[in-house]
């Protein structure tokens, strides 16, 4: 395989919607998502009303790549070999001694399941996108509250969290105007959703003008998809795409056989009959990548059309499209704009008036570095007493180089490049930093010896 990647070599460009093509105002959307869960947990399940009040500094807890060990109420930051780098019980940070006593230096007990890219089970939940993160903070605070009343060994609140998710985000919630999230976004879309930059709109049109087939694949239901696209791209957004697939139920869209995930037509945003195959471009619901690929063969006239797919979730988008379909994958990684832990000292020394919009007195931006958890990409550890600290890659960082073709902070970052621009791709025989564009995280370049892919 070539170590270079270009969109010019691809016949099809697939795009996720939420946090990929549609960018959110993360601070505002995080508050709303948190509230949508907390309101349900307090009013319907009887949890402590204190959950409804969130101090600005509490948002520092939110960091992508954490795993919740449900029974223990512990949140974990894992190394690439599955050992625990940092941990908290609820929101309370565990000391190195507590981590050693609880987990030792062994591989975490569910790591084999997680490393098979199972993001959730009856035992754990992996937080890998911005819709998830407010739920992590809420779960951690629930553990704090339960401990305050009666310290315990095991926790069973997760079933209530699932009920809160289902109530607020079921496919009928937008139409029924129920829950907290959808009614508020409908009232104030500009508060939560960013307008798409002109450069990205022009990029989409250039792709079409150069004969690329554009496919939008989102797990959002069709009515919410339409609101997002109209606000993000304009009322003529449908002209930009050859195929729009909503309620895609990723990662199952990529991994499940066609008979388990048939495509369905839509009428007034209501799903209609199941289709035995996909015969023409259009707007569909649910579906599977096998039938989609058969249609793409017909549309391109190619036996094996090359697809590049853009997404923000490692589990739902990137791994699944790469592993099950062998598509090129472009990871949207906003943490590339947020720096690394090594940069926090210089940030702290800035006078308040020079700090970013969400620093200081305000809640931090979710893509910036967490003081509690450190860098998304690396962690420093001391293997033995008295030894110098060494830099260790996180499990999340390893996944990026293993399953992404390239990683970029946003589509806007590449929108002005020529379509035949050649990116260095991640590959097993190159540096782990090769696939980051426009530049790798500074913390991956800060070790004394180059860190290479294994």
């Amino acid at each position: 395989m070539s170590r270079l990647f270009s969109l010019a070599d691809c016949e099809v460009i697939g795009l996720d919607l939420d946090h990929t093509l549609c960018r959110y105002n993360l601070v505002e959307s995080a508050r709303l998502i948190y509230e949508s869960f907390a309101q349900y947990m307090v009013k319907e399940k009887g949890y402590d009303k204190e959950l409804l009040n969130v101090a600005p500094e509490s948002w520092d807890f939110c960091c992508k790549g954490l795993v919740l060990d449900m029974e223990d109420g512990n949140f974990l930051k894992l190394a690439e070999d599955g050992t625990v780098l940092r941990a908290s019980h609820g929101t309370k940070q565990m000391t190195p001694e507590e981590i050693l006593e609880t987990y030792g230096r062994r591989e975490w007990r569910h790591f084999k399941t997680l490393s098979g890219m199972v993001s959730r089970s009856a035992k754990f939940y992996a937080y890998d996108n911005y819709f998830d993160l407010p739920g992590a903070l809420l779960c951690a605070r629930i553990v704090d509250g339960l401990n305050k009343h009666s310290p315990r060994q095991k926790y069973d609140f997760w079933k209530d969290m699932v009920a809160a998710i289902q109530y607020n985000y079921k496919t009928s919630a937008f139409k029924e105007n129920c829950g907290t999230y959808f009614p508020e976004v409908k009232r104030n879309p500009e508060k939560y959703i960013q307008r798409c930059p002109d450069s990205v709109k022009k990029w989409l049109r250039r792709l079409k003008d150069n004969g690329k087939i554009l496919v939008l694949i989102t797990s959002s239901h069709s009515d919410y998809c339409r609101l997002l696209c109209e606000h993000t791209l304009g009322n003529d957004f449908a002209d930009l795409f050859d195929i729009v697939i909503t309620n895609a139920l990723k990662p199952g869209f990529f991994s499940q056989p066609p008979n388990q995930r048939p495509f369905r037509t839509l009428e007034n945003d209501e799903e209609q009959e199941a289709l035995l195959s996909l015969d023409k471009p259009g707007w569909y619901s649910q579906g599977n990548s096998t039938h989609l690929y058969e249609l793409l063969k017909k549309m391109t006239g190619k036996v094996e059309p090359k697809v590049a797919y853009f997404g923000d979730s490692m589990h739902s988008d990137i791994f699944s499209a790469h592993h099950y379909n062998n598509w090129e994958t472009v990871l949207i990684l906003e943490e590339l704009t947020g720096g690394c832990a090594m940069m926090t000292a210089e940030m702290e020394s800035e006078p308040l008036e020079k700090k970013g919009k969400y620093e200081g007195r305000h809640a931090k931006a979710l893509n910036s570095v967490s003081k509690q958890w450190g860098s998304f990409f690396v962690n420093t550890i001391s293997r033995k007493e008295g030894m110098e600290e060494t830099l260790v890659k996180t499990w999340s960082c390893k996944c990026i180089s293993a399953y992404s073709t390239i990683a970029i902070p946003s589509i806007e970052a590449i929108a002005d490049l020529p379509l035949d621009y050649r990116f260095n791709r991640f590959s097993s025989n190159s540096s782990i930093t090769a696939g980051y564009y426009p530049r790798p995280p500074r913390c991956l370049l800060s070790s004394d010896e180059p860190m290479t892919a294994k």
Side-chain angles (χ1 to χ4, degrees):
M1 179 185 292
S2 168
R3 292 176 67 174
L4 299 176
F5 162 71
S6 174
L7 292 175
D9 298 332
C10 301
E11 288 81 30
V12 182
I13 307 299
L15 297 138
D16 176 40
L17 180 58
D18 294 285
H19 300 287
T20 298
L21 196 53
C22 172
R23 305 286 295 284
Y24 286 78
N25 298 320
L26 292 180
V27 169
E28 296 295 342
S29 63
R31 287 176 177 143
L32 179 59
I33 294 166
Y34 180 95
E35 185 182 356
S36 73
F37 295 147
Q39 290 279 359
Y40 183 89
M41 297 294 272
V42 171
K43 293 179 180 178
E44 303 297 328
K45 298 296 182 180
Y47 285 81
D48 195 327
K49 291 181 181 178
E50 183 58 30
L51 292 173
L52 300 175
N53 304 313
V54 187
E57 59 271 17
S58 298
W59 293 104
D60 181 72
F61 184 85
C62 294
C63 178
K64 280 201 315 199
L66 301 182
V67 180
L68 167 60
D69 199 329
M70 292 175 187
E71 291 182 341
D72 295 343
N74 293 345
F75 287 81
L76 313 175
K77 178 182 180 181
L78 299 174
E80 61 177 325
D81 63 359
T83 55
V84 177
L85 295 169
R86 299 192 190 194
S88 72
H89 182 62
T91 64
K92 184 177 180 294
Q93 189 163 4
M94 295 171 66
T95 65
E97 292 75 23
E98 288 172 331
I99 293 172
L100 194 60
E101 181 182 348
T102 306
Y103 295 105
R105 300 193 191 281
R106 301 179 303 278
E107 180 184 277
W108 176 56
R109 56 184 173 168
H110 300 306
F111 184 68
K112 280 188 172 61
T113 305
L114 178 68
S115 59
M117 298 310 286
V118 176
S119 63
R120 59 203 66 179
S121 74
K123 302 295 185 182
F124 67 85
Y125 191 95
Y127 293 88
D128 85 333
N129 64 75
Y130 290 119
F131 270 131
D132 279 349
L133 287 189
L137 175 59
L138 179 61
C139 287
R141 296 188 70 209
I142 286 172
V143 171
D144 292 347
L146 292 173
N147 288 340
K148 190 165 54 178
H149 296 295
S150 58
R152 60 194 68 193
Q153 295 296 315
K154 302 296 180 184
Y155 298 83
D156 62 354
F157 61 85
W158 186 253
K159 64 183 185 301
D160 296 330
M161 276 297 295
V162 171
I165 294 167
Q166 291 175 340
Y167 175 72
N168 279 282
Y169 299 99
K170 59 187 178 182
T171 55
S172 61
F174 187 95
K175 184 176 182 179
E176 295 171 0
N177 218 40
C178 72
T180 301
Y181 183 82
F182 289 125
E184 173 60 16
V185 174
K186 281 197 273 188
R187 279 193 298 268
N188 299 295
E190 64 286 340
K191 182 177 179 180
Y192 303 102
I193 306 165
Q194 297 182 26
R195 300 279 183 185
C196 196
D198 286 339
S199 61
V200 174
K201 294 180 190 177
K202 291 176 182 176
W203 178 77
L204 292 170
R205 293 190 185 99
R206 269 197 299 143
L207 288 168
K208 288 211 73 173
D209 291 344
N210 279 267
K212 308 301 180 187
I213 293 172
L214 266 59
V215 185
L216 185 65
I217 308 174
T218 175
S219 290
S220 291
H221 195 49
S222 57
D223 44 18
Y224 185 54
C225 170
R226 186 173 288 105
L227 179 145
L228 293 179
C229 287
E230 288 178 351
H231 187 83
T232 303
L233 296 166
N235 294 333
D236 61 348
F237 75 91
D239 296 338
L240 295 168
F241 303 102
D242 298 279
I243 302 168
V244 175
I245 301 167
T246 61
N247 198 23
L249 304 172
K250 295 177 289 182
F253 178 86
F254 296 109
S255 62
Q256 296 295 323
N259 63 334
Q260 293 184 19
R261 297 289 177 96
F263 278 97
R264 295 181 180 274
T265 56
L266 284 162
E267 189 174 314
N268 298 321
D269 293 317
E270 295 289 341
E271 293 180 349
Q272 305 300 309
E273 75 279 2
L275 302 174
L276 296 178
S277 63
L278 204 58
D279 298 321
K280 60 183 179 181
W283 190 304
Y284 299 95
S285 187
Q286 297 195 41
N288 60 86
S289 57
T290 301
H291 281 165
L292 172 62
Y293 198 66
E294 290 301 315
L295 175 59
L296 295 175
K297 289 179 184 179
K298 295 176 186 176
M299 293 176 68
T300 60
K302 301 265 187 179
V303 176
E304 293 185 348
K306 194 170 184 179
V307 183
Y309 181 68
F310 290 69
D312 71 297
S313 169
M314 178 55 66
H315 289 87
S316 296
D317 294 314
I318 301 303
F319 168 77
S320 300
H322 167 87
H323 180 75
Y324 296 105
N325 298 271
N326 200 31
W327 289 358
E328 303 281 11
T329 52
V330 181
L331 175 65
I332 304 297
L333 189 65
E334 292 201 22
E335 281 70 20
L336 290 176
T337 65
C340 280
M342 286 65 179
M343 300 168 66
T344 55
E346 60 195 63
M347 288 166 58
E348 288 297 313
S349 65
E350 291 265 328
L352 185 60
E353 62 272 14
K354 286 191 176 182
K355 290 186 178 183
K357 183 178 178 183
Y358 301 114
E359 296 293 329
R361 293 184 296 268
H362 305 281
K364 79 175 184 76
L366 266 67
N367 62 352
S368 62
V369 175
S370 164
K371 292 178 183 177
Q372 179 165 345
W373 296 105
S375 167
F376 172 78
F377 302 96
V378 297
N379 206 80
T380 53
I381 61 167
S382 296
R383 289 296 185 188
K384 292 181 180 177
E385 296 253 347
M387 287 186 65
E388 289 187 10
E389 290 186 331
T390 57
L391 207 59
V392 176
K393 285 188 300 176
T394 61
W395 163 242
S396 299
C397 183
K398 181 180 180 180
C399 289
I400 294 168
S401 56
Y403 304 121
S404 310
T405 303
I406 61 171
I408 60 177
S410 65
I411 292 176
E412 189 178 4
I414 67 167
D416 290 327
L417 296 175
L419 295 184
D420 61 357
Y421 184 90
R422 301 210 166 266
F423 300 90
N424 288 313
R425 66 164 70 233
F426 291 113
S427 62
S428 59
N429 62 348
S430 68
S431 162
I432 64 162
T433 62
Y436 292 105
Y437 180 89
R439 63 189 66 86
R442 192 179 303 180
C443 50
L444 290 181
L445 301 173
S446 58
S447 57
D448 292 333
E449 296 182 5
M451 299 171 69
T452 56
K454 294 182 179 180

